[in-house]
Amino acid sequence: MTPPVRKIAVLGATGSIGGSTLDVIARHPDRFRATVLTAQRNVDGLAALCATHRPELAVIADPALEGQLAQRLRAAGVHCEVASGHDALTAAAAGPLCDTVVAAIVGAAGLDSSLAAARSGKRLLLANKESIVMAGELLLRALAEGGGELIPVDSEHNAIFQCLPGGRPDLEASGVRKLILTASGGPFRGRTRAELAGVTPDEACKHPKWSMGRKISVDSATLMNKGLEVIEAHYLFGAPVDRIDVLVHPQSLVHSLVEYLDGSVLAQLGNPDMRTAIAHALAWPTRVDAGVSVLDLAASGALVFEKPDLATFRCLALAYQALRAGGDAPAILNAANEVAVEAFLAGGLPFLSIPDLVESVLMELPRADVVDVQSLVERDRMAREVARRVLRCAC
Ligand code: NAD
Ligand code: MG
């Protein structure tokens, strides 16, 4: 029997993950339909996507741009509902127009919509790792209350999901010894601190294997991306911090591994193309063609694995430290990192100062227990304020 057509909200449709998701959706009109598309400010990009995918609702996060979007859509002959603002975006994630939500907004801005999708029992395809880093327990609680399901889209977590029996089982009962996240090492793998002193945003965003948005590209260059992913793995799979390892694998063909008590190590392999993880998560538990070329292991050369250099790439060590501290320390780490990356991309902070800034904020705001979303958002705000002050003093 063919499964019913999934009605999919793509939050962050104009981004890198959004584009890959829409590519997979368009390949399977009998299985998937994009019913809600959203963007922050890119009116032209969103209008073009609406003309191609004909959603029922388009949401632009910046309310000042709603009129412009409506006008563009009218001119293109697209008759969909138009809304604007953060609340409209959150409501769309929980609303009746979709049964599946692809959380592909970048940064903490994606938290409310991820939570709303979880609470309302949708299938949540989580790319927006920042929301689970910030609010891991709250997000899992919302998911349990809503009765929906979370399928990770981050390639490493999607790989682990595929290597575990039944997706997100009890690790102890399943005989899992370790989760091993692979990392490409980013564009600066092998460099010394001295060689990193003057690197530019464009150099940091030139990832050797993956094509991604600018924020995650910088996170990959600092290894903060892997740090956020260690925290993400902790919450997604209930893994204690000491059972999550990172292995640098520059070819980016092995997307992660699971080590079992009996000595078996299961890995998921594939070309570095996010459409594989997205297609897996959209179609799960079935499989569909993702449009990804076949992995040719005979042609790929040697697969190399090495330990990460935590002394040069301090962000990964800081993320482990925040996870060990617990409470809202991961949220503080995330907020400080977002400010630092923004400043680096704007040319206002040297690459090597990114971990320094994050560390200063973690020191100034010792961990507190996570009580609810409101207090977490307040702590996120405080962390950004401290980060901006430290930045001003450093200039
Ligand atoms: P991107 O910058 O290419 O796209 C971000 C999208 O979010 C855009 O559509 C933008 O309009 C929207 N957006 C940004 N700020 C917003 C706001 N304040 N309110 C509403 N919408 C907003 O980013 P990306 O590379 O696609 O990454 C998206 C998320 O997926 C990130 O959390 C990233 O860590 C995660 N992720 C990305 C990749 C990848 O290959 N790109 C891989 C794994 C995980
Ligand atoms: Mg990843």
Side-chain angles (χ1 to χ4, degrees), residues 169-181:
D170 181 285
L171 296 189
E172 209 59 48
S174 307
V176 172
R177 190 149 50 194
K178 280 225 159 115
L179 305 182
I180 305 166
L181 301 173

Side-chain angles (χ1 to χ4, degrees), residues 12 14-17 40 104-105 109 127-130 154 212-213 216 274:
T14 52
S16 164
I17 291 286
Q40 184 184 22
I105 290 174
N128 175 239
K129 64 192 81 182
E130 293 90 348
D154 213 350
M212 309 182 286
I216 184 175
M274 287 306 295

Side-chain angles (χ1 to χ4, degrees), residues 129 154-156 225-226 229:
K129 64 192 81 182
D154 213 350
S155 57
E156 297 75 4
N225 182 50
K226 213 47 54 182
E229 291 182 357

Side-chain angles (χ1 to χ4, degrees), residues 129-130 133 154 181 183 185-186 215-232 246 310 312-322 329-338 340-341 351 354-359 362:
K129 64 192 81 182
E130 293 90 348
V133 166
D154 213 350
L181 301 173
K215 193 264 176 179
I216 184 175
S217 295
V218 176
D219 285 345
S220 297
T222 60
L223 286 204
M224 180 58 96
N225 182 50
K226 213 47 54 182
L228 298 178
E229 291 182 357
V230 167
I231 300 171
E232 181 181 8
V246 171
L310 295 183
T312 307
F313 298 95
R314 292 179 53 235
C315 284
L316 178 54
L318 288 169
Y320 268 108
Q321 185 188 309
I332 306 285
L333 170 101
N334 178 65
N337 181 58
E338 285 192 28
V341 171
F351 183 78
I354 295 175
D356 298 339
L357 181 61
V358 172
E359 188 171 36
L362 282 171

Side-chain angles (χ1 to χ4, degrees), residues 42-214:
N42 183 352
V43 170
D44 290 340
L46 184 56
L49 292 175
C50 290
T52 307
H53 298 278
R54 303 278 159 169
E56 291 171 42
L57 170 65
V59 185
I60 190 92
D62 184 342
L65 297 172
E66 182 176 334
Q68 222 184 87
L69 177 64
Q71 191 252 320
R72 293 281 151 85
L73 290 174
R74 261 197 311 276
V78 179
H79 304 288
C80 71
E81 208 182 311
V82 177
S84 68
H86 183 80
D87 291 350
L89 201 151
T90 306
L97 293 178
C98 61
D99 50 49
T100 301
V101 172
V102 179
I105 290 174
V106 61
L111 175 64
D112 290 339
S113 45
S114 293
L115 281 169
R119 251 185 240 117
S120 53
K122 311 281 181 187
R123 171 177 287 194
L124 174 59
L125 269 60
L126 190 71
N128 175 239
K129 64 192 81 182
E130 293 90 348
S131 54
I132 194 158
V133 166
M134 280 179 78
E137 275 161 28
L138 297 177
L139 185 63
L140 294 181
R141 206 180 301 156
L143 195 73
E145 282 165 14
E149 54 196 357
L150 190 161
I151 322 274
V153 164
D154 213 350
S155 57
E156 297 75 4
H157 307 76
N158 184 267
I160 289 171
F161 185 93
Q162 294 195 46
C163 294
L164 287 171
R168 297 171 51 226
D170 181 285
L171 296 189
E172 209 59 48
S174 307
V176 172
R177 190 149 50 194
K178 280 225 159 115
L179 305 182
I180 305 166
L181 301 173
T182 52
S184 69
F188 303 141
R189 183 180 64 91
R191 292 209 196 174
T192 61
R193 278 181 68 77
E195 288 165 342
L196 290 174
V199 297
T200 65
D202 283 344
E203 287 171 318
C205 289
K206 227 179 266 151
H207 197 280
K209 293 289 173 191
W210 297 93
S211 154
M212 309 182 286
R214 281 173 84 76

